[in-house]
């Protein structure tokens, strides 16, 4: 296999793996968030983890394919390296996912608190609007308070 064929094979595999990941996203779309996100991480790790096939020529292959083929044909020469690569990449991906969740949690709590405050303000405004039944009442916030007649200013015209 030439270098060009090797790159074409990896390109085709990358497109197929992206298609499989898209199908996984659609299949897990209806699930609860804390179940679907780890499943998506597991699927991405299984699809995109490479393992060394030939260290002398620096050739890689998908770890799931290598482990499945070695177990199917009972060769067993690269099974443990593929499994160890899957475990290592899986551990790194789950640590990154946990960091993402820990960063996201306070942001969501503050957003939820702001949303509850906004709902409370809307309910308070609706309750206040229900109290203001008089169309020309004195309950308007910018209404002028009535002044006594003696303090009312009259209009002053300039002299010509």
């Amino acid at each position: 296999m030439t270098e060009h064929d090797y790159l074409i094979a990896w390109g085709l595999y990358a497109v197929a793996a992206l298609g499989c990941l898209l199908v996984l996203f659609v299949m897990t779309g209806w699930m609860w968030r804390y179940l679907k996100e780890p499943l998506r991480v597991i699927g991405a790790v299984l699809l995109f983890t490479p393992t060394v096939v030939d260290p002398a020529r620096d050739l890689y292959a998908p770890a799931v394919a290598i482990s499945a083929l070695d177990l199917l044909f009972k060769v067993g020469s690269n099974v443990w390296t593929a499994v160890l690569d899957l475990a290592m990449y899986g551990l790194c991906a789950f640590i990154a996912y946990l960091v993402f969740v820990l960063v996201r949690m306070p942001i969501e709590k503050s957003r939820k608190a702001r949303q509850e405050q906004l709902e409370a303000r809307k309910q308070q405004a609706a309750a206040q609007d229900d109290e203001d039944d008089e169309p020309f009442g004195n309950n308007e916030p910018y209404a002028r308070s009535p002044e006594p007649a003696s303090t009312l200013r009259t209009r002053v015209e300039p002299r010509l």
Side-chain angles (χ1 to χ4, degrees), residues 4 60 64 77 81 83 86 89 109 113 119 122 151 153:
H4 187 66
Y60 291 88
V64 171
S77 59
T81 57
V83 169
L86 280 170
Y89 282 107
K109 283 184 181 180
E119 286 293 323
K122 284 181 182 178
T151 61
R153 294 186 180 170

Side-chain angles (χ1 to χ4, degrees), residues 51-130:
T51 189
V52 176
V53 177
D54 188 9
R57 293 182 27 198
D58 200 31
L59 294 177
Y60 291 88
V64 171
I66 292 300
S67 59
L69 289 174
D70 281 357
L71 287 174
L72 182 68
F73 295 123
K74 296 181 178 154
V75 176
S77 59
N78 291 326
V79 173
W80 292 112
T81 57
V83 169
L84 288 175
D85 285 341
L86 280 170
M88 181 188 63
Y89 282 107
L91 181 68
C92 293
F94 271 105
I95 288 172
Y97 171 67
L98 287 176
V99 168
F100 171 72
V101 166
L102 291 175
V103 167
R104 181 179 64 186
M105 212 180 308
I107 294 170
E108 284 184 352
K109 283 184 181 180
S110 67
R111 183 179 58 92
K112 194 173 189 180
R114 279 194 316 255
Q115 192 174 16
E116 288 175 357
Q117 287 176 354
L118 183 63
E119 286 293 323
R121 286 183 195 155
K122 284 181 182 178
Q123 288 176 356
Q124 186 179 16
Q128 188 176 1
D129 287 343
D130 290 343

Side-chain angles (χ1 to χ4, degrees), residues 126-134 139:
Q128 188 176 1
D129 287 343
D130 290 343
E131 291 174 2
D132 296 340
D133 287 339
E134 295 181 24
N139 296 334

